Amino acid sequence: MAKTYDVLIIGSGAAGGMAAWVLARAGASCLMLDAGPLIDYDKQRVMKPVYDLPYRGFGKPGRFPHVTQASEFDANLWADEKQNPYSYDKSDPFYWVRIRAVGGKTLRWGRASWRLSDHVFKAKDHDGFGDNWPIGYRDLAPFYDRVEPMIHVMGRNEGLPQMPDGNIQIDESPDSESVKRFIAACRKRDIPTTKSRRATGTLASSTNLLLPAALESGNLTLTPNAVVREITIDPATGLANGAVFVDRRSKNEYEVKARVVVLGASTLESCRILLNSKSTRFAQGLGNSSGTLGQYLFDQFYVKNVVTAVVPEARGGKGGRGLMGGGGYVPRFRNLQRNDRKFLRGYAWDFGGGFTPSPRYLPLYGEELLKEMNELQGTGFSLTTMGEALPRKENFVRIQPDVKDEWGIPSLHITQKYGDNEYAMAKDSMETASELCTDAGFQVIAAHSQMVPPGESIHELGTVRMGADPKSSVLNGWNQSHDVRNLFVVDGSSFVCGGVQNPTLTILALSMRASEYILDQRRKGAL
Amino acid sequence: MKRRRLLQSIAALPALPAAAQTAPAPAPEFPKLAETAADAVGQPRGRLFGRDQMAALEKLADLLMPKAGDRPGAVEAGAPAFLDFLIGESNAARRKLYQDGLDRLNSESARLYSKPFRDASATEAKAILAPLAAKWTYAPPADPFARFLKEVKDDLMQATINSRVYAAAVSRRSRSAAGMGAYWLPLD
């Protein structure tokens, strides 16, 4: 008879990896299932020149219509959309960007690591929209304190209430003159700036920072290539008792048993597993007595290169390290004290300089273009907007039973569109960024407010949201199902709203907190 | 025989006589042979574009991305033939955009100068390529010909910069390997 594990962990990225790190090291016997293979970096990667790739770096046409991040070099790392289909209404595309491998998206994340503040956790208190989280900054701060050193976050503490200080290595690097000029322009308008705050190291993934210690404990069993079809329920107790998975390669089906189930398969995959886990007791999906499972999908909208400018003094190769290079971050500055804009919430910018602007911005060709490109080498300065998308009930996912993935598991139909609030914010970000660049003495060569399609930021959140009220949420403040007390969902699907901050640090902190709660409840005999 | 015992037995063999020692060393069992890619030895065969379209594309390549000093241009980089392959692999909308765009180059040249685009001078071509002088907008131009010109400008530049001859020229100049990257093999 197969073993019954203390905890089944589904997913091995930030959420699942942290759960394993906490639970296995504390002595719980854990089984981790991941839908993808375990990657051997030495065997899977070879150095190649771009001209030796079949498509000269363009990539196979049509292979990744929704993964703009994929290059021909790393195309084999991203989830194949034919094996893993999903759909959306034609007029509202959703770009679902996935990696199916042990480590998940921590293999390729951007590493920006900002704390959420009570401007996010208690957003409804600030502007009346949506719902508050059932927890506040004070609840999560001790976990942020512990997670940041684990992933070696470096940045600068500025004492800003909307962007709490962290337990981080302080970045003392000097700013270039162009960055100083931009910061000065921001300061004149009381717009805060800071250094980027990022996890450091050659690799900052659950595969090198979390899973090795969990495996070393002897309490973690890691099973790759296990595509979970559903979480199973004991009909007598109504508690989760394991899962059914399909082996990715053989397509053979297996059952596993556990006393507690921790779901951390990524926002939309976790939601999909719950929606596909139907039973007599939970006909609309596991833990869905509220009917909100799948609803309140949101992300952070991006306006990539909202403004691209040239630093005139750097033309003709006069830039150099003193004038050009480096960058930083502008934390959210709109609507903090009062709502004085035509939109709710706010946006942040990443900014940086020292690159050569794309030739597509220049209305030239031929020798004139080459000459101008030569002049512009290293003169570029640009900003990218990251804005808060409001969580709305009408943005949701549902199962489409007839469209199945390669393993016979029903796929998702995704509905998310941006509304007037996001459009107004994007426009404001373009206008303000242009003004700041002009104030700094830069020459704006391109500005736009076109948001990338929902999903492309890879910050999709919600659909299995927390809440104080079981009638309007799926999870309580411990990432625990209101309906099934031994079921926990610890990834981005649990977010109530997301602010402008990249979500991975918060996912890690939430997973750590929920996992320690599981240990505590098991000690008390409640799980 | 177990691998370890096999190795031990090999190690225990007496030294070979002098004559045998001078014989060529046996080739390794799993040798790494030198290879040369297809585009370094062969000329791609036409795939999508007709003769007139290809002639227009070659002319366009020379105008948009010319040779500059020791840096090869789009023609030297074989960019037109590569785009013939790439666009041939692309979806119907992109194939049509390109084919219509190349036809338009020829028809405009015939209308204005009574000759195919390939025979137009740089000054004559400038009038036809006027959409490239338009200010950048995020949204692609509504006019398909203008959209084609914007796309082909980007594509020719990338196809050139990512070519073998361009990398060789850059490497000669900077003594660094140009265009190298970590390639992910297919996951099992």
Side-chain angles (χ1 to χ4, degrees), chain A residues 44-46 48 50 52 55-56 73 76 248 359 362 364 366 450, chain B residues 63-64 77 89 136 138 153 159 162 164 179 181 183-185 188:
Chain A
Q44 289 295 150
R45 297 185 307 169
V46 290
K48 276 196 180 192
V50 67
D52 265 352
Y55 297 92
R56 243 188 233 195
F73 281 105
N76 291 318
R248 185 176 66 91
L362 306 175
L364 303 168
Q450 185 65 49
Chain B
L63 289 167
L64 298 191
E89 291 277 293
W136 176 87
Y138 183 87
K153 176 183 153 184
N162 290 357
R164 186 181 306 276
Y183 175 75
W184 285 83
L185 296 165
D188 175 27

PDB file of all heavy atoms in Angstrom, chain A residues 44-46 48 50 52 55-56 73 76 248 359 362 364 366 450, chain B residues 63-64 77 89 136 138 153 159 162 164 179 181 183-185 188:
ATOM      1  N   GLN A  44      21.349  20.394 -20.062  1.00  0.00           N
ATOM      2  CA  GLN A  44      20.277  20.965 -20.877  1.00  0.00           C
ATOM      3  C   GLN A  44      20.716  22.170 -21.699  1.00  0.00           C
ATOM      4  O   GLN A  44      20.012  22.573 -22.605  1.00  0.00           O
ATOM      5  CB  GLN A  44      19.101  21.385 -19.987  1.00  0.00           C
ATOM      6  CG  GLN A  44      18.317  20.257 -19.401  1.00  0.00           C
ATOM      7  CD  GLN A  44      17.593  19.410 -20.415  1.00  0.00           C
ATOM      8  OE1 GLN A  44      17.395  18.234 -20.186  1.00  0.00           O
ATOM      9  NE2 GLN A  44      17.206  19.973 -21.544  1.00  0.00           N
ATOM     10  N   ARG A  45      21.842  22.759 -21.330  1.00  0.00           N
ATOM     11  CA  ARG A  45      22.229  24.001 -22.015  1.00  0.00           C
ATOM     12  C   ARG A  45      23.579  23.859 -22.692  1.00  0.00           C
ATOM     13  O   ARG A  45      24.511  23.286 -22.114  1.00  0.00           O
ATOM     14  CB  ARG A  45      22.287  25.156 -21.032  1.00  0.00           C
ATOM     15  CG  ARG A  45      20.952  25.489 -20.389  1.00  0.00           C
ATOM     16  CD  ARG A  45      21.052  26.707 -19.523  1.00  0.00           C
ATOM     17  NE  ARG A  45      22.115  26.609 -18.557  1.00  0.00           N
ATOM     18  CZ  ARG A  45      22.547  27.617 -17.818  1.00  0.00           C
ATOM     19  NH1 ARG A  45      22.002  28.800 -17.950  1.00  0.00           N
ATOM     20  NH2 ARG A  45      23.519  27.456 -16.940  1.00  0.00           N
ATOM     21  N   VAL A  46      23.658  24.371 -23.902  1.00  0.00           N
ATOM     22  CA  VAL A  46      24.945  24.427 -24.596  1.00  0.00           C
ATOM     23  C   VAL A  46      25.117  25.838 -25.162  1.00  0.00           C
ATOM     24  O   VAL A  46      24.135  26.492 -25.503  1.00  0.00           O
ATOM     25  CB  VAL A  46      25.019  23.408 -25.765  1.00  0.00           C
ATOM     26  CG1 VAL A  46      25.084  21.995 -25.253  1.00  0.00           C
ATOM     27  CG2 VAL A  46      23.848  23.568 -26.717  1.00  0.00           C
ATOM     28  N   LYS A  48      25.797  28.405 -27.925  1.00  0.00           N
ATOM     29  CA  LYS A  48      25.684  28.391 -29.389  1.00  0.00           C
ATOM     30  C   LYS A  48      25.683  29.819 -29.902  1.00  0.00           C
ATOM     31  O   LYS A  48      25.146  30.715 -29.244  1.00  0.00           O
ATOM     32  CB  LYS A  48      24.350  27.749 -29.797  1.00  0.00           C
ATOM     33  CG  LYS A  48      24.341  26.251 -29.874  1.00  0.00           C
ATOM     34  CD  LYS A  48      23.122  25.777 -30.640  1.00  0.00           C
ATOM     35  CE  LYS A  48      23.122  24.264 -30.720  1.00  0.00           C
ATOM     36  NZ  LYS A  48      22.142  23.767 -31.670  1.00  0.00           N
ATOM     37  N   VAL A  50      24.154  32.663 -32.340  1.00  0.00           N
ATOM     38  CA  VAL A  50      22.790  32.867 -32.823  1.00  0.00           C
ATOM     39  C   VAL A  50      22.648  32.432 -34.287  1.00  0.00           C
ATOM     40  O   VAL A  50      21.597  31.941 -34.702  1.00  0.00           O
ATOM     41  CB  VAL A  50      22.360  34.341 -32.608  1.00  0.00           C
ATOM     42  CG1 VAL A  50      23.150  35.304 -33.465  1.00  0.00           C
ATOM     43  CG2 VAL A  50      20.880  34.519 -32.833  1.00  0.00           C
ATOM     44  N   ASP A  52      23.803  29.933 -35.705  1.00  0.00           N
ATOM     45  CA  ASP A  52      23.665  28.481 -35.846  1.00  0.00           C
ATOM     46  C   ASP A  52      22.285  27.985 -35.416  1.00  0.00           C
ATOM     47  O   ASP A  52      22.011  26.786 -35.484  1.00  0.00           O
ATOM     48  CB  ASP A  52      24.738  27.762 -35.023  1.00  0.00           C
ATOM     49  CG  ASP A  52      25.958  27.423 -35.869  1.00  0.00           C
ATOM     50  OD1 ASP A  52      25.873  27.622 -37.104  1.00  0.00           O
ATOM     51  OD2 ASP A  52      26.974  26.987 -35.317  1.00  0.00           O
ATOM     52  N   TYR A  55      16.485  29.446 -36.890  1.00  0.00           N
ATOM     53  CA  TYR A  55      15.767  30.632 -37.351  1.00  0.00           C
ATOM     54  C   TYR A  55      16.547  31.912 -37.050  1.00  0.00           C
ATOM     55  O   TYR A  55      15.976  32.962 -36.838  1.00  0.00           O
ATOM     56  CB  TYR A  55      14.364  30.672 -36.734  1.00  0.00           C
ATOM     57  CG  TYR A  55      13.516  29.493 -37.164  1.00  0.00           C
ATOM     58  CD1 TYR A  55      13.478  28.325 -36.407  1.00  0.00           C
ATOM     59  CD2 TYR A  55      12.783  29.538 -38.344  1.00  0.00           C
ATOM     60  CE1 TYR A  55      12.732  27.229 -36.818  1.00  0.00           C
ATOM     61  CE2 TYR A  55      12.029  28.455 -38.755  1.00  0.00           C
ATOM     62  CZ  TYR A  55      12.010  27.297 -37.988  1.00  0.00           C
ATOM     63  OH  TYR A  55      11.263  26.226 -38.404  1.00  0.00           O
ATOM     64  N   ARG A  56      17.841  31.811 -36.984  1.00  0.00           N
ATOM     65  CA  ARG A  56      18.732  32.966 -36.812  1.00  0.00           C
ATOM     66  C   ARG A  56      18.305  33.863 -35.650  1.00  0.00           C
ATOM     67  O   ARG A  56      18.406  35.091 -35.709  1.00  0.00           O
ATOM     68  CB  ARG A  56      18.766  33.800 -38.092  1.00  0.00           C
ATOM     69  CG  ARG A  56      20.133  33.847 -38.728  1.00  0.00           C
ATOM     70  CD  ARG A  56      20.164  34.830 -39.887  1.00  0.00           C
ATOM     71  NE  ARG A  56      20.682  34.201 -41.089  1.00  0.00           N
ATOM     72  CZ  ARG A  56      21.087  34.835 -42.169  1.00  0.00           C
ATOM     73  NH1 ARG A  56      21.045  36.142 -42.212  1.00  0.00           N
ATOM     74  NH2 ARG A  56      21.531  34.186 -43.217  1.00  0.00           N
ATOM     75  N   PHE A  73      16.792  30.997 -28.174  1.00  0.00           N
ATOM     76  CA  PHE A  73      17.734  30.312 -27.284  1.00  0.00           C
ATOM     77  C   PHE A  73      17.017  29.513 -26.193  1.00  0.00           C
ATOM     78  O   PHE A  73      17.405  28.406 -25.866  1.00  0.00           O
ATOM     79  CB  PHE A  73      18.672  31.331 -26.616  1.00  0.00           C
ATOM     80  CG  PHE A  73      19.793  31.797 -27.498  1.00  0.00           C
ATOM     81  CD1 PHE A  73      19.773  33.054 -28.073  1.00  0.00           C
ATOM     82  CD2 PHE A  73      20.877  30.966 -27.761  1.00  0.00           C
ATOM     83  CE1 PHE A  73      20.803  33.485 -28.895  1.00  0.00           C
ATOM     84  CE2 PHE A  73      21.922  31.384 -28.569  1.00  0.00           C
ATOM     85  CZ  PHE A  73      21.882  32.651 -29.136  1.00  0.00           C
ATOM     86  N   ASN A  76      12.777  26.165 -25.657  1.00  0.00           N
ATOM     87  CA  ASN A  76      12.410  24.838 -25.143  1.00  0.00           C
ATOM     88  C   ASN A  76      12.097  24.839 -23.649  1.00  0.00           C
ATOM     89  O   ASN A  76      11.670  23.821 -23.116  1.00  0.00           O
ATOM     90  CB  ASN A  76      13.527  23.838 -25.443  1.00  0.00           C
ATOM     91  CG  ASN A  76      13.617  23.551 -26.927  1.00  0.00           C
ATOM     92  OD1 ASN A  76      12.596  23.397 -27.597  1.00  0.00           O
ATOM     93  ND2 ASN A  76      14.833  23.521 -27.463  1.00  0.00           N
ATOM     94  N   ARG A 248       3.788  12.565 -16.902  1.00  0.00           N
ATOM     95  CA  ARG A 248       3.910  13.381 -18.118  1.00  0.00           C
ATOM     96  C   ARG A 248       4.369  12.569 -19.316  1.00  0.00           C
ATOM     97  O   ARG A 248       3.903  12.776 -20.438  1.00  0.00           O
ATOM     98  CB  ARG A 248       4.908  14.525 -17.864  1.00  0.00           C
ATOM     99  CG  ARG A 248       5.037  15.522 -19.007  1.00  0.00           C
ATOM    100  CD  ARG A 248       5.956  16.665 -18.633  1.00  0.00           C
ATOM    101  NE  ARG A 248       7.323  16.223 -18.446  1.00  0.00           N
ATOM    102  CZ  ARG A 248       8.249  16.191 -19.416  1.00  0.00           C
ATOM    103  NH1 ARG A 248       7.945  16.566 -20.645  1.00  0.00           N
ATOM    104  NH2 ARG A 248       9.482  15.785 -19.163  1.00  0.00           N
ATOM    105  N   PRO A 359      16.494  51.016 -33.460  1.00  0.00           N
ATOM    106  CA  PRO A 359      16.398  51.740 -34.738  1.00  0.00           C
ATOM    107  C   PRO A 359      14.959  51.957 -35.186  1.00  0.00           C
ATOM    108  O   PRO A 359      14.700  52.841 -36.013  1.00  0.00           O
ATOM    109  CB  PRO A 359      17.149  50.832 -35.721  1.00  0.00           C
ATOM    110  CG  PRO A 359      17.288  49.513 -35.051  1.00  0.00           C
ATOM    111  CD  PRO A 359      17.247  49.769 -33.588  1.00  0.00           C
ATOM    112  N   LEU A 362      13.610  55.474 -35.085  1.00  0.00           N
ATOM    113  CA  LEU A 362      14.202  56.514 -35.922  1.00  0.00           C
ATOM    114  C   LEU A 362      13.598  56.479 -37.319  1.00  0.00           C
ATOM    115  O   LEU A 362      13.600  55.435 -37.971  1.00  0.00           O
ATOM    116  CB  LEU A 362      15.721  56.317 -36.005  1.00  0.00           C
ATOM    117  CG  LEU A 362      16.425  56.232 -34.651  1.00  0.00           C
ATOM    118  CD1 LEU A 362      17.905  55.917 -34.829  1.00  0.00           C
ATOM    119  CD2 LEU A 362      16.259  57.520 -33.864  1.00  0.00           C
ATOM    120  N   LEU A 364      14.442  56.812 -40.229  1.00  0.00           N
ATOM    121  CA  LEU A 364      15.568  56.812 -41.162  1.00  0.00           C
ATOM    122  C   LEU A 364      15.814  55.401 -41.665  1.00  0.00           C
ATOM    123  O   LEU A 364      15.325  54.439 -41.079  1.00  0.00           O
ATOM    124  CB  LEU A 364      16.843  57.293 -40.448  1.00  0.00           C
ATOM    125  CG  LEU A 364      16.828  58.669 -39.789  1.00  0.00           C
ATOM    126  CD1 LEU A 364      18.046  58.828 -38.891  1.00  0.00           C
ATOM    127  CD2 LEU A 364      16.785  59.761 -40.846  1.00  0.00           C
ATOM    128  N   GLY A 366      19.053  52.987 -44.114  1.00  0.00           N
ATOM    129  CA  GLY A 366      20.295  53.002 -44.875  1.00  0.00           C
ATOM    130  C   GLY A 366      21.437  53.669 -44.138  1.00  0.00           C
ATOM    131  O   GLY A 366      21.537  53.596 -42.915  1.00  0.00           O
ATOM    132  N   GLN A 450       0.380  52.297 -24.496  1.00  0.00           N
ATOM    133  CA  GLN A 450      -0.248  51.020 -24.856  1.00  0.00           C
ATOM    134  C   GLN A 450       0.170  49.937 -23.860  1.00  0.00           C
ATOM    135  O   GLN A 450       1.333  49.538 -23.819  1.00  0.00           O
ATOM    136  CB  GLN A 450       0.178  50.626 -26.271  1.00  0.00           C
ATOM    137  CG  GLN A 450      -0.494  49.379 -26.797  1.00  0.00           C
ATOM    138  CD  GLN A 450      -1.985  49.550 -26.969  1.00  0.00           C
ATOM    139  OE1 GLN A 450      -2.437  50.521 -27.562  1.00  0.00           O
ATOM    140  NE2 GLN A 450      -2.751  48.621 -26.424  1.00  0.00           N
TER     141      GLN A 450
ATOM    142  N   LEU B  63      19.354  48.922 -49.793  1.00  0.00           N
ATOM    143  CA  LEU B  63      19.028  50.305 -49.433  1.00  0.00           C
ATOM    144  C   LEU B  63      18.876  50.486 -47.927  1.00  0.00           C
ATOM    145  O   LEU B  63      19.335  51.463 -47.361  1.00  0.00           O
ATOM    146  CB  LEU B  63      17.718  50.727 -50.126  1.00  0.00           C
ATOM    147  CG  LEU B  63      17.775  50.928 -51.629  1.00  0.00           C
ATOM    148  CD1 LEU B  63      16.364  51.015 -52.199  1.00  0.00           C
ATOM    149  CD2 LEU B  63      18.562  52.196 -51.968  1.00  0.00           C
ATOM    150  N   LEU B  64      18.213  49.532 -47.299  1.00  0.00           N
ATOM    151  CA  LEU B  64      17.894  49.697 -45.873  1.00  0.00           C
ATOM    152  C   LEU B  64      19.078  49.372 -44.972  1.00  0.00           C
ATOM    153  O   LEU B  64      19.277  49.993 -43.935  1.00  0.00           O
ATOM    154  CB  LEU B  64      16.695  48.814 -45.473  1.00  0.00           C
ATOM    155  CG  LEU B  64      15.370  49.087 -46.168  1.00  0.00           C
ATOM    156  CD1 LEU B  64      14.237  48.326 -45.473  1.00  0.00           C
ATOM    157  CD2 LEU B  64      15.039  50.569 -46.184  1.00  0.00           C
ATOM    158  N   ALA B  77      24.991  39.446 -45.898  1.00  0.00           N
ATOM    159  CA  ALA B  77      24.578  38.541 -44.822  1.00  0.00           C
ATOM    160  C   ALA B  77      23.546  37.524 -45.282  1.00  0.00           C
ATOM    161  O   ALA B  77      23.083  36.705 -44.481  1.00  0.00           O
ATOM    162  CB  ALA B  77      24.014  39.347 -43.654  1.00  0.00           C
ATOM    163  N   GLU B  89       7.725  30.393 -43.679  1.00  0.00           N
ATOM    164  CA  GLU B  89       7.310  29.573 -42.536  1.00  0.00           C
ATOM    165  C   GLU B  89       6.246  30.259 -41.689  1.00  0.00           C
ATOM    166  O   GLU B  89       5.735  29.670 -40.739  1.00  0.00           O
ATOM    167  CB  GLU B  89       8.525  29.313 -41.631  1.00  0.00           C
ATOM    168  CG  GLU B  89       9.574  28.411 -42.216  1.00  0.00           C
ATOM    169  CD  GLU B  89       9.216  26.943 -42.032  1.00  0.00           C
ATOM    170  OE1 GLU B  89       9.201  26.475 -40.879  1.00  0.00           O
ATOM    171  OE2 GLU B  89       8.932  26.288 -43.036  1.00  0.00           O
ATOM    172  N   TRP B 136       7.648  57.589 -35.429  1.00  0.00           N
ATOM    173  CA  TRP B 136       7.315  56.301 -34.815  1.00  0.00           C
ATOM    174  C   TRP B 136       5.998  56.388 -34.034  1.00  0.00           C
ATOM    175  O   TRP B 136       5.740  57.363 -33.339  1.00  0.00           O
ATOM    176  CB  TRP B 136       8.439  55.881 -33.858  1.00  0.00           C
ATOM    177  CG  TRP B 136       8.136  54.610 -33.114  1.00  0.00           C
ATOM    178  CD1 TRP B 136       8.376  53.346 -33.536  1.00  0.00           C
ATOM    179  CD2 TRP B 136       7.538  54.479 -31.817  1.00  0.00           C
ATOM    180  NE1 TRP B 136       7.959  52.437 -32.592  1.00  0.00           N
ATOM    181  CE2 TRP B 136       7.434  53.106 -31.520  1.00  0.00           C
ATOM    182  CE3 TRP B 136       7.056  55.390 -30.866  1.00  0.00           C
ATOM    183  CZ2 TRP B 136       6.890  52.624 -30.328  1.00  0.00           C
ATOM    184  CZ3 TRP B 136       6.509  54.918 -29.693  1.00  0.00           C
ATOM    185  CH2 TRP B 136       6.435  53.549 -29.423  1.00  0.00           C
ATOM    186  N   TYR B 138       3.394  53.619 -31.625  1.00  0.00           N
ATOM    187  CA  TYR B 138       3.354  52.273 -31.047  1.00  0.00           C
ATOM    188  C   TYR B 138       2.520  51.340 -31.923  1.00  0.00           C
ATOM    189  O   TYR B 138       2.937  50.225 -32.234  1.00  0.00           O
ATOM    190  CB  TYR B 138       2.776  52.316 -29.629  1.00  0.00           C
ATOM    191  CG  TYR B 138       2.782  50.963 -28.967  1.00  0.00           C
ATOM    192  CD1 TYR B 138       3.911  50.527 -28.278  1.00  0.00           C
ATOM    193  CD2 TYR B 138       1.690  50.115 -29.050  1.00  0.00           C
ATOM    194  CE1 TYR B 138       3.937  49.280 -27.680  1.00  0.00           C
ATOM    195  CE2 TYR B 138       1.705  48.866 -28.458  1.00  0.00           C
ATOM    196  CZ  TYR B 138       2.834  48.455 -27.771  1.00  0.00           C
ATOM    197  OH  TYR B 138       2.857  47.221 -27.184  1.00  0.00           O
ATOM    198  N   LYS B 153      12.173  46.549 -42.406  1.00  0.00           N
ATOM    199  CA  LYS B 153      13.357  47.273 -41.902  1.00  0.00           C
ATOM    200  C   LYS B 153      13.907  46.569 -40.658  1.00  0.00           C
ATOM    201  O   LYS B 153      15.109  46.287 -40.564  1.00  0.00           O
ATOM    202  CB  LYS B 153      12.965  48.724 -41.575  1.00  0.00           C
ATOM    203  CG  LYS B 153      14.075  49.546 -40.944  1.00  0.00           C
ATOM    204  CD  LYS B 153      13.559  50.951 -40.602  1.00  0.00           C
ATOM    205  CE  LYS B 153      14.326  51.558 -39.452  1.00  0.00           C
ATOM    206  NZ  LYS B 153      13.819  52.856 -39.038  1.00  0.00           N
ATOM    207  N   ALA B 159      18.154  40.092 -39.193  1.00  0.00           N
ATOM    208  CA  ALA B 159      18.695  38.976 -39.979  1.00  0.00           C
ATOM    209  C   ALA B 159      20.159  39.230 -40.328  1.00  0.00           C
ATOM    210  O   ALA B 159      20.953  38.285 -40.448  1.00  0.00           O
ATOM    211  CB  ALA B 159      17.867  38.766 -41.244  1.00  0.00           C
ATOM    212  N   ASN B 162      22.324  39.051 -36.928  1.00  0.00           N
ATOM    213  CA  ASN B 162      22.389  37.674 -36.416  1.00  0.00           C
ATOM    214  C   ASN B 162      23.024  36.695 -37.401  1.00  0.00           C
ATOM    215  O   ASN B 162      22.928  35.486 -37.224  1.00  0.00           O
ATOM    216  CB  ASN B 162      20.988  37.173 -36.059  1.00  0.00           C
ATOM    217  CG  ASN B 162      20.422  37.879 -34.839  1.00  0.00           C
ATOM    218  OD1 ASN B 162      21.088  38.693 -34.227  1.00  0.00           O
ATOM    219  ND2 ASN B 162      19.187  37.565 -34.488  1.00  0.00           N
ATOM    220  N   ARG B 164      26.063  34.853 -39.755  1.00  0.00           N
ATOM    221  CA  ARG B 164      27.426  34.344 -39.560  1.00  0.00           C
ATOM    222  C   ARG B 164      28.476  35.375 -39.995  1.00  0.00           C
ATOM    223  O   ARG B 164      29.436  35.629 -39.266  1.00  0.00           O
ATOM    224  CB  ARG B 164      27.579  33.064 -40.397  1.00  0.00           C
ATOM    225  CG  ARG B 164      28.865  32.307 -40.213  1.00  0.00           C
ATOM    226  CD  ARG B 164      28.872  31.092 -41.133  1.00  0.00           C
ATOM    227  NE  ARG B 164      27.681  30.271 -40.919  1.00  0.00           N
ATOM    228  CZ  ARG B 164      27.563  29.349 -39.961  1.00  0.00           C
ATOM    229  NH1 ARG B 164      28.571  29.115 -39.164  1.00  0.00           N
ATOM    230  NH2 ARG B 164      26.453  28.657 -39.824  1.00  0.00           N
ATOM    231  N   GLY B 179      27.175  37.315 -30.559  1.00  0.00           N
ATOM    232  CA  GLY B 179      25.931  36.554 -30.726  1.00  0.00           C
ATOM    233  C   GLY B 179      25.886  35.212 -30.046  1.00  0.00           C
ATOM    234  O   GLY B 179      25.070  34.365 -30.393  1.00  0.00           O
ATOM    235  N   GLY B 181      25.028  32.575 -27.027  1.00  0.00           N
ATOM    236  CA  GLY B 181      24.024  32.487 -25.974  1.00  0.00           C
ATOM    237  C   GLY B 181      23.875  31.063 -25.492  1.00  0.00           C
ATOM    238  O   GLY B 181      24.330  30.120 -26.156  1.00  0.00           O
ATOM    239  N   TYR B 183      21.877  27.964 -25.178  1.00  0.00           N
ATOM    240  CA  TYR B 183      20.743  27.364 -25.884  1.00  0.00           C
ATOM    241  C   TYR B 183      20.193  26.207 -25.048  1.00  0.00           C
ATOM    242  O   TYR B 183      20.946  25.328 -24.610  1.00  0.00           O
ATOM    243  CB  TYR B 183      21.199  26.858 -27.254  1.00  0.00           C
ATOM    244  CG  TYR B 183      20.112  26.106 -27.997  1.00  0.00           C
ATOM    245  CD1 TYR B 183      19.060  26.804 -28.589  1.00  0.00           C
ATOM    246  CD2 TYR B 183      20.132  24.719 -28.081  1.00  0.00           C
ATOM    247  CE1 TYR B 183      18.059  26.123 -29.265  1.00  0.00           C
ATOM    248  CE2 TYR B 183      19.138  24.039 -28.758  1.00  0.00           C
ATOM    249  CZ  TYR B 183      18.098  24.736 -29.344  1.00  0.00           C
ATOM    250  OH  TYR B 183      17.108  24.065 -29.992  1.00  0.00           O
ATOM    251  N   TRP B 184      18.885  26.242 -24.834  1.00  0.00           N
ATOM    252  CA  TRP B 184      18.227  25.165 -24.080  1.00  0.00           C
ATOM    253  C   TRP B 184      17.837  24.045 -25.031  1.00  0.00           C
ATOM    254  O   TRP B 184      17.068  24.263 -25.965  1.00  0.00           O
ATOM    255  CB  TRP B 184      16.976  25.697 -23.372  1.00  0.00           C
ATOM    256  CG  TRP B 184      17.293  26.514 -22.170  1.00  0.00           C
ATOM    257  CD1 TRP B 184      17.627  27.838 -22.138  1.00  0.00           C
ATOM    258  CD2 TRP B 184      17.329  26.054 -20.814  1.00  0.00           C
ATOM    259  NE1 TRP B 184      17.870  28.227 -20.844  1.00  0.00           N
ATOM    260  CE2 TRP B 184      17.690  27.163 -20.010  1.00  0.00           C
ATOM    261  CE3 TRP B 184      17.088  24.826 -20.197  1.00  0.00           C
ATOM    262  CZ2 TRP B 184      17.820  27.067 -18.626  1.00  0.00           C
ATOM    263  CZ3 TRP B 184      17.211  24.747 -18.823  1.00  0.00           C
ATOM    264  CH2 TRP B 184      17.576  25.855 -18.049  1.00  0.00           C
ATOM    265  N   LEU B 185      18.355  22.877 -24.777  1.00  0.00           N
ATOM    266  CA  LEU B 185      17.984  21.720 -25.576  1.00  0.00           C
ATOM    267  C   LEU B 185      16.544  21.319 -25.236  1.00  0.00           C
ATOM    268  O   LEU B 185      16.050  21.648 -24.153  1.00  0.00           O
ATOM    269  CB  LEU B 185      18.928  20.556 -25.256  1.00  0.00           C
ATOM    270  CG  LEU B 185      20.393  20.820 -25.626  1.00  0.00           C
ATOM    271  CD1 LEU B 185      21.301  19.805 -24.954  1.00  0.00           C
ATOM    272  CD2 LEU B 185      20.574  20.780 -27.126  1.00  0.00           C
ATOM    273  N   ASP B 188      13.205  16.597 -22.073  1.00  0.00           N
ATOM    274  CA  ASP B 188      12.656  15.255 -22.283  1.00  0.00           C
ATOM    275  C   ASP B 188      11.294  15.147 -21.614  1.00  0.00           C
ATOM    276  O   ASP B 188      11.143  15.436 -20.450  1.00  0.00           O
ATOM    277  CB  ASP B 188      13.613  14.233 -21.680  1.00  0.00           C
ATOM    278  CG  ASP B 188      13.032  12.831 -21.758  1.00  0.00           C
ATOM    279  OD1 ASP B 188      12.215  12.580 -22.668  1.00  0.00           O
ATOM    280  OD2 ASP B 188      13.386  12.018 -20.906  1.00  0.00           O
TER     281      ASP B 188
END
